[in-house]
Amino acid sequence: KGDMGSKHFYLGAGDLNVAINYGLVNIALFLSQATIQSVANDICDEISWEKDVFGRYPISNACGQGRFSGLADAAYEDTNQCEEDEASMACSVDPDMTAIALTNPQWAGAPPPLECYPNYNGEGTGAWDSLLSCTKDGCNFYDGQVRGSIDPSTVPSSNSFGRKDVEGCCWWGRGAF
């Protein structure tokens, strides 16, 4: 196993020749996926990719996604806990922080970049509908937007973990590289 903080990257076990092959295949697969996400799609931040049961992208995906598809068992704030030996290096969550990711998907009607901001109104966020027209709002959520908008009838809208806001969820800079 290679040491990666408190996590490990599987490099094989048992018979050395077999272990080396497992390790090399795992490294090749990781780099292949990272290349597709980071280079081929020009994406450095995580993107909003999980839809709700109505086919829309919850804005609260910034706080976690993947439960519906079986790719995640817990929201980000529950899975990004530091081990005791790393706690001194961690920053506390700032509920007043505001940030917008740099990248988003590039298809027609794609959801906007992930973002976080305080939940001053207490209502939560809505959901992005890729089929809505954006001409009324000027198609100004991101450069190159041709359709899609936040559906006002979806406020509040929760992600697959039940989160309805994006307050304190500014840790999605989880690009593959």
Side-chain angles (χ1 to χ4, degrees), residues 2-9 83 85-86 89:
D3 187 24
M4 297 177 65
S6 60
K7 307 294 181 207
H8 298 280
F9 190 82
E83 298 294 325
D85 62 326
E86 299 170 335
M89 298 179 277

Side-chain angles (χ1 to χ4, degrees), residues 30-80:
F30 169 76
L31 292 174
S32 299
Q33 182 64 28
T35 300
I36 290 168
Q37 289 182 358
S38 299
V39 179
N41 295 325
D42 193 26
I43 294 175
C44 63
D45 291 316
E46 181 176 0
I47 60 173
S48 181
W49 56 268
E50 186 173 53
K51 295 179 181 179
D52 63 15
V53 295
F54 302 106
R56 297 179 295 235
Y57 300 90
I59 300 304
S60 57
N61 276 351
C63 296
Q65 53 188 342
R67 182 172 178 211
F68 290 149
S69 59
L71 295 176
D73 294 327
Y76 297 145
E77 68 261 26
D78 298 326
T79 60
N80 287 315

Side-chain angles (χ1 to χ4, degrees), residues 87-107:
S88 65
M89 298 179 277
C91 297
S92 58
V93 173
D94 181 358
D96 293 322
M97 185 174 183
T98 300
I100 300 173
L102 297 175
T103 55
N104 62 287
Q106 296 299 307
W107 64 83

